[in-house]
Amino acid sequence: METWDAIRARRNVRSYLPDPVSEADLERIAEAGWRAPSAANRQHWDFIIVTDREQLRELSTVWRGAGHIAGAAAAIALVIPVYDEDRSRLISQYDLGQATFAILVAAADLGLGTGHSSVGDQDLARSILGVPADHDVAYLIGVGYPADRPLRPIAKPNRRPIGEVIHHGRW
């Protein structure tokens, strides 16, 4: 898929086919996150690729909006250090946003659907993934082939009118 088509085709997917995703595709998707920009090139992130069915089922319980992780072929956990001060935490969250979007677009480019989730129960998520206590599992991204329909550019996305969103020079 061309980059613009991947951006236009990307949508949140919460229901997946049972087909596995190749290790090469998962590595490529994670590499897209690794290549994302970060403030001062800090790269204060780690990514954990999960394909074990039982781990996916367990991860689906760490947040009320994580149920789709159980049915995904894989999940990528985005991990950052625990911070005592707001500035570093906010910078790392912004960096994770950039890494997340790179991951989502790379997956769409391969025809794979993704659905993100927060993590509410840090202790459980750390336990499932073996993450040390000085790190947080910030987000999970489910990855798999969409069960409902393949990805394709969306002609009329459900968005605010573009003229209300994009401003030139001033609000």
Side-chain angles (χ1 to χ4, degrees), residues 68-84:
H68 66 283
I69 300 296
I76 299 175
L78 287 70
V79 180
I80 57 173
V82 172
Y83 294 101
D84 293 331

Side-chain angles (χ1 to χ4, degrees), residues 39 70 97 140 153 166 168:
L140 301 171
I166 298 174
H168 295 272

Side-chain angles (χ1 to χ4, degrees), residues 75-95:
I76 299 175
L78 287 70
V79 180
I80 57 173
V82 172
Y83 294 101
D84 293 331
E85 41 92 20
D86 288 340
R87 180 166 168 71
S88 291
R89 186 177 73 256
L90 289 172
I91 290 169
S92 283
Q93 289 290 335
Y94 185 84
D95 290 349

Side-chain angles (χ1 to χ4, degrees), residues 3-167:
T3 303
W4 184 240
D5 287 341
I7 290 170
R8 294 183 317 129
R10 198 223 62 78
R11 59 185 166 85
N12 287 335
V13 173
R14 301 265 192 281
S15 180
Y16 306 95
L17 294 174
D19 307 2
V21 174
S22 76
E23 185 176 330
D25 285 352
L26 291 171
E27 289 290 330
R28 181 174 177 166
I29 293 165
E31 182 178 338
W34 173 76
R35 288 180 176 272
S38 68
N41 200 27
R42 294 174 346 153
Q43 305 171 59
H44 284 184
W45 51 46
D46 288 275
F47 308 127
I48 302 172
I49 299 171
V50 179
T51 57
D52 179 78
R53 299 276 4 129
E54 182 56 24
Q55 265 187 299
L56 293 168
R57 189 198 62 70
E58 290 174 352
L59 285 172
S60 75
T61 68
V62 300
W63 180 248
R64 64 179 177 233
H68 66 283
I69 300 296
I76 299 175
L78 287 70
V79 180
I80 57 173
V82 172
Y83 294 101
D84 293 331
E85 41 92 20
D86 288 340
R87 180 166 168 71
S88 291
R89 186 177 73 256
L90 289 172
I91 290 169
S92 283
Q93 289 290 335
Y94 185 84
D95 290 349
L96 281 185
Q98 294 185 95
T100 297
F101 194 68
I103 287 168
L104 302 182
V105 171
D109 182 59
L110 296 169
L112 292 162
T114 52
H116 62 280
S117 171
S118 292
V119 176
D121 189 335
Q122 283 297 322
D123 291 335
L124 180 57
R126 287 186 194 111
S127 173
I128 295 166
L129 297 170
V131 171
D134 62 347
H135 283 71
D136 279 337
V137 182
Y139 304 102
L140 301 171
I141 301 172
V143 180
Y145 294 97
D148 56 351
R149 65 190 188 280
L151 296 182
R152 63 180 176 278
I154 301 167
K156 294 181 181 184
N158 183 14
R159 296 277 183 245
R160 290 173 42 209
I162 197 164
E164 291 179 13
V165 176
I166 298 174
H167 309 273

